[in-house]
Each structure stands twice: as structure tokens, then as C-alpha cells.
Amino acid sequence: MRGNMVVNVVANGLQSHVLHRMIGRVRSFSDLGQSVRCPLRPLPADRTGARESRSTSERDGMSQCFGRTRWKRFAVILLPCLAATAALAAGVAENALAASFLISGEEFKLSADELRGEGFSLYGTVDLTREHDPVPVMVTGFESATIHGLCQSAVFPIPVLGPFTLRLTGGKRAATVKGFFVDAKHLAADQSSAHRIDIGVAAGALTKGEISRGDRDSRFFNPNSPAQQASSINLTDLRVTAVAVAAGSFDVPGLGVSLVRGRDECF
């Protein structure tokens, strides 16, 4: 589930930042409005005491015009900014904004000795690369999950030096994750045990599992396509080849990250 402590902290920080930005913008608009002066009508030069009269007129004119704000124009500029800012802050606070992103298109490995998930979903969609090339994927989603023996690896070439492997591993304690979605090309497990499973349900009618909000808003998402869901699922010796992973929160005790020469993948 996407509403969690991490998202709320980020949302509160964003709202505070936005309010400070808006206060600064209000001050800028006010300063801009106050800098507007009314033009003074020149006085005839042949009048007696013209210089004194002009000086008096300038003082009167400045007292009447300097410091005025054009409130109608000010409101026209400010109100749409306030509305957009309020909508953005509220959307992030409620986790209603999609967190989709363009993928690199490179595959990486994800494995676990055991994964225990709640609110399981499985459906198909299409990711896009930075060049907007379509990449069909099957999305495996969990409202929450506990992962033992976590490993993630990605191989990438370094010019002149050759291929290197970036590995991420968990410690002895289990990792916990919420709002977990894996965009996979291949998934396998030595043992799978699901509770209250439904196969062939319409993707747009899932109730036990979730659809990623980024996917639900995608033009590639077909709500009538077949999907699977289960109240809970246990997977042992899990092996996934994926192109993207997204999570609302990810807690990994004993996290280890290493970069090694050559290929040293999780499986």
C-alpha cells in the first residue's frame, strides 16, 4: 500500500518547502506591484513658482501612486499558482501522483531465499525506455512483503576496463517492503504457495492485489486483460530477471553494496 510513513514525511517536507517558496513569490509580486509609479503630467514652464509647484506635485503624485499594488493583476497571477501548489502537495500527501519513470532497458537480476507477500497481483503492461522504445513486461506486485536472503545484481560495461557487476545484498535479518512492484521479463521459484488465488480476473477489477498507479494511468494498460491475484503468497528460492523495481518503502537491515570486476550475478 502506497500510504506509508516515508511518503508522508516526504509529502510534509514538500508542503513546507512549497509554502516557503510561495511566501517568497508573494513578496516578489508585492515588490513588483509597489514599484509601479504613475506618470506625472508636466506643468507649464511659464507659471510663477513652477519649480516649487512641480516639486509639490511630484510629492503629491508619489504619495498617491507610489506603493500601490494592482490587486486584480496580482490575483490573476497568484491564484493559479496557489491552486496548482495545493493540488501538488495534496496529491503527494495522498500518494496519488504516479511514480513512473523511463527505464534504461538493461536487465538485472533479483533473487531471494524466501519472499512472503501480502496482496499479490500479476498483470502485463509496457514500459518505455529513454528513447521511448516499448518493452513488454509482467508486473508482479505486493502490498507488503518480507524478504529473506535478498540479492540484486546488475552488470554493465566500463570502457577499456570491461564488464563490472554492481551487487546489493541484505543482512541476516529480513528486508521489509511496502508498495512493491517488479517489472519482470522472467520469474521462477522452486516453491510457490498462494492463499485465495484468482486466475483470469480482469486487470482493472483486481481487489486483493494492486495495480501500480503509474501503470493504471498508462495508455498501455488494458483493464480487460487477464491478471492474477491472491491474498498472500510465499515464494522460495526466487529468481527474477527484471528491468525495473519500484517501492513505496524498502527497509534493508545490514545492507551491503559492492562493485566487482567481471560478472558476479545473483544467479
Side-chain angles (χ1 to χ4, degrees):
M1 298 176 68
R2 295 303 182 98
N4 51 67
M5 183 177 297
V6 173
V7 172
N8 288 334
V9 169
V10 173
N12 292 336
L14 175 61
Q15 292 180 54
S16 176
H17 175 71
V18 167
L19 288 176
H20 284 295
R21 290 289 300 274
M22 290 310 304
I23 290 171
R25 183 165 294 183
V26 168
R27 288 173 178 169
S28 298
F29 284 145
S30 179
D31 292 343
L32 178 62
Q34 291 177 356
S35 66
V36 177
R37 291 184 173 90
C38 294
L40 295 176
R41 185 176 300 175
L43 296 175
D46 56 348
R47 289 185 179 177
T48 304
R51 182 176 299 178
E52 181 180 356
S53 299
R54 182 176 180 84
S55 177
T56 303
S57 178
E58 287 179 352
R59 288 196 302 268
D60 292 343
M62 291 189 66
S63 66
Q64 293 175 6
C65 297
F66 190 84
R68 284 189 177 179
T69 301
R70 297 183 178 181
W71 291 108
K72 290 184 179 180
R73 181 176 298 177
F74 176 77
V76 168
I77 297 174
L78 180 61
L79 290 180
C81 296
L82 286 173
T85 301
L88 175 62
V92 173
E94 295 298 330
N95 199 22
L97 301 180
S100 58
F101 52 88
L102 298 176
I103 66 172
S104 70
E106 298 295 328
E107 297 179 353
F108 57 90
K109 303 291 181 64
L110 182 68
S111 67
D113 294 338
E114 182 183 32
L115 184 151
R116 295 178 175 270
E118 301 290 332
F120 169 75
S121 60
L122 179 65
Y123 59 92
T125 188
V126 174
D127 287 345
L128 291 177
T129 67
R130 186 182 176 193
E131 290 76 24
H132 294 278
D133 296 326
V135 180
V137 295
M138 57 179 179
V139 181
T140 305
F142 305 88
E143 291 184 359
S144 63
T146 301
I147 306 172
H148 295 268
L150 172 67
C151 178
Q152 179 181 323
S153 64
V155 177
F156 58 93
I158 296 180
V160 181
L161 299 179
F164 276 70
T165 303
L166 179 66
R167 285 176 62 97
L168 180 153
T169 57
K172 295 182 179 179
R173 290 186 294 158
T176 56
V177 59
K178 293 183 179 180
F180 189 39
F181 294 92
V182 181
D183 294 7
K185 302 291 290 183
H186 181 267
L187 185 150
D190 282 356
Q191 179 66 38
S192 172
S193 176
H195 179 60
R196 295 181 59 199
I197 186 170
D198 299 322
I199 300 175
V201 61
L206 291 176
T207 56
K208 300 172 184 175
E210 289 187 336
I211 300 290
S212 167
R213 299 205 176 187
D215 292 337
R216 189 180 293 277
D217 297 333
S218 170
R219 67 180 186 275
F220 297 108
F221 177 69
N222 180 3
N224 296 316
S225 62
Q228 296 184 26
Q229 65 178 353
S231 297
S232 62
I233 189 169
N234 295 342
L235 303 169
T236 58
D237 196 11
L238 175 65
R239 302 175 300 280
V240 183
T241 301
V243 295
V245 171
S249 66
F250 212 142
D251 183 15
V252 186
L255 172 67
V257 181
S258 61
L259 179 65
V260 297
R261 183 188 291 271
R263 305 183 70 91
D264 186 21
E265 298 179 272
C266 296
F267 61 90

